Amino acid sequence: MKNLIDIKRLTKEEIDTIITRAAEFKTASQDPARGEINYTGGISDFARLGERLYRANSCANKTACLMFFENSTRTKCSFLIAADKLGMNVIDFNAQTSSLSKGETLKDTLDNLYYMGVNTIVLRHGEDDITDKISKEVTLPLAFINAGDGQNAHPTQALLDYMTLLEKLGTVERKKIVIVGDVSHSRVAKSNLALLNKMGADVHFFAPEYFTPKNKGEYAAIWETDYDTAISDADVIMLLRIQTERLNGEESEMAKHYSEKYCLTSERLAKYAPDAILMHPGPVNRGVEMSSELLDSPKGRTILEQVRNGVYVRMAVLEGVKG
Ligand code: NCD
């Protein structure tokens, strides 16, 4: 894999390879003494497995540069931790204090970073498609990983969500997965849809009218018109954060009333989809997409499991890209 720009460009086999590798990293990273995994071998077997996995990788000579032009906690920190676990060198690039603020172009900045020894760029940016565009402009052999570009794509989020679902369900084939909330501004929704469709899930969307994309017909999913019907008997409910930073004035006004109708509570979940797995890419707006009480309940725990899997998926991706 040269770059990771968009889930749409990955084959099912490539997705499986990433998830298998991530699962290996997870097994090797976790300490059975803390009861984090159900590992049946002894401690020494576990240590040997870890050693084999870490020795096998060729990341020690790699340098990754994390370029985050939008705020992030989960994605950025998990990339940092992943790179660190792989023994890579990592640069946490600060756009504000860099020469970009003197007018240097992103392409020139990247060329210079390459000449310093950087070989992997992890890019988060507010502009749609920028990772694709810049990866074509730069002719030097840098590997690009899209860590979220505007409202377009967030491939590593979809991969970590898929890993979490496989752990819980074994397969997503023919599972009813309902994606709910601010669909129109969500890169997470688009990348998850692409991946879940590839893997044979039944993807449903529900969004209030003001968060329904104008081109909804281009989304290969079932569009629901009622929240409670949408979530009924779902295997998975994936809530999306309201993207307050991307809303226009009218959308912001409408969004103020979102929670009155669409906040998921424990009671609502118990009534319509008691067995559903609850997911959210984070950060959760407590009391908006879901109640605080639901988030803190055992049902909300999956959201932290998603975050943990993010580390291992990003290890697999950092290791896998070759510029
Ligand atoms: C998502 C993002 O930034 O696209 N968050 C994340 O990466 N965990 C979703 C969001 O911010 O709503």
Side-chain angles (χ1 to χ4, degrees):
M1 181 166 68
K2 186 174 175 330
N3 300 316
L4 177 61
I5 307 277
D6 201 316
I7 289 292
K8 290 180 194 145
R9 299 192 195 175
L10 297 181
T11 62
K12 276 168 84 164
E13 291 67 34
E14 284 170 324
I15 292 171
D16 283 337
T17 304
I18 293 169
I19 301 299
T20 304
R21 188 62 173 148
E24 284 178 355
F25 282 132
K26 184 171 184 176
T27 308
S29 292
Q30 289 182 340
D31 179 357
R34 286 173 58 191
E36 285 184 333
I37 52 164
N38 188 16
Y39 181 72
T40 49
I43 297 282
S44 57
D45 290 348
F46 180 83
R48 269 198 295 279
L49 172 65
E51 222 176 275
R52 183 172 65 74
L53 285 167
Y54 283 97
R55 285 230 187 96
N57 84 61
S58 54
C59 290
N61 297 322
K62 280 181 156 184
T63 301
C65 185
L66 303 193
M67 305 181 88
F68 277 62
F69 293 83
E70 281 188 341
N71 295 341
S72 170
T73 297
R74 278 148 284 268
T75 307
K76 184 171 171 181
C77 295
S78 60
F79 264 114
L80 279 168
I81 292 166
D84 185 64
K85 280 178 182 280
L86 289 168
M88 292 175 82
N89 304 308
V90 200
I91 299 167
D92 182 3
F93 182 85
N94 183 335
Q96 261 124 41
T97 57
S98 76
S99 289
L100 286 165
S101 66
K102 301 178 190 168
E104 188 169 33
T105 65
L106 184 55
K107 181 196 175 298
D108 289 342
T109 304
L110 291 166
D111 286 351
N112 280 273
L113 288 168
Y114 177 80
Y115 269 82
M116 286 178 230
V118 170
N119 32 46
T120 306
I121 301 293
V122 180
L123 182 62
R124 167 166 289 198
H125 202 286
E127 196 181 313
D128 287 12
D129 281 322
I130 190 162
T131 325
D132 186 39
K133 263 189 252 158
I134 200 73
S135 69
K136 286 174 181 152
E137 252 182 71
V138 172
T139 52
L140 297 165
L142 278 170
F144 285 88
I145 300 171
N146 181 0
D149 59 340
Q151 299 170 35
N152 182 51
H154 194 352
T156 56
Q157 181 69 41
L159 289 164
L160 72 90
D161 288 343
Y162 182 53
M163 178 174 178
T164 310
L165 287 175
L166 288 184
E167 288 176 346
K168 301 259 168 215
L169 297 169
T171 176
V172 297
E173 240 175 285
R174 292 189 299 282
K175 302 291 182 196
K176 179 179 176 184
I177 302 184
V178 190
I179 302 180
V180 173
D182 182 1
V183 179
S184 57
H185 302 100
S186 178
R187 53 194 175 205
V188 173
K190 293 189 186 89
S191 285
N192 265 298
L193 177 65
L195 187 150
L196 293 168
N197 270 342
K198 240 183 242 280
M199 297 302 179
D202 295 332
V203 184
H204 297 235
F205 275 120
F206 172 80
E209 198 233 306
Y210 49 93
F211 285 152
T212 301
K214 296 206 171 42
N215 62 342
K216 73 175 206 177
E218 290 167 28
Y219 287 61
I222 297 160
W223 283 92
E224 302 278 359
T225 52
D226 175 73
Y227 186 105
D228 292 327
T229 314
I231 65 167
S232 287
D233 300 321
D235 293 295
V236 180
I237 302 172
M238 189 182 286
L239 302 175
L240 301 171
R241 181 179 68 90
I242 295 181
Q243 306 276 297
T244 35
E245 69 277 27
R246 303 186 211 280
L247 306 187
N248 63 33
E250 200 187 322
E251 289 165 340
S252 297
E253 274 312 302
M254 306 294 273
K256 285 186 189 152
H257 302 285
Y258 182 90
S259 66
E260 293 160 19
K261 284 187 173 168
Y262 307 121
C263 181
L264 189 60
T265 59
S266 291
E267 297 76 51
R268 200 172 196 178
L269 190 61
K271 184 165 175 199
Y272 294 102
D275 300 323
I277 294 162
L278 187 60
M279 301 177 87
H280 191 303
V284 176
N285 292 307
R286 284 176 179 262
V288 179
E289 297 100 35
M290 78 176 85
S291 68
S292 238
E293 172 271 329
L294 178 57
L295 179 60
D296 294 333
S297 76
K299 276 279 184 190
R301 193 60 54 82
T302 309
I303 295 166
L304 292 172
E305 291 173 28
Q306 289 172 258
V307 175
R308 176 184 286 165
N309 284 339
V311 172
Y312 305 112
V313 157
R314 288 169 178 134
M315 286 175 80
V317 171
L318 282 167
E319 183 194 47
V321 291
K322 308 266 184 290

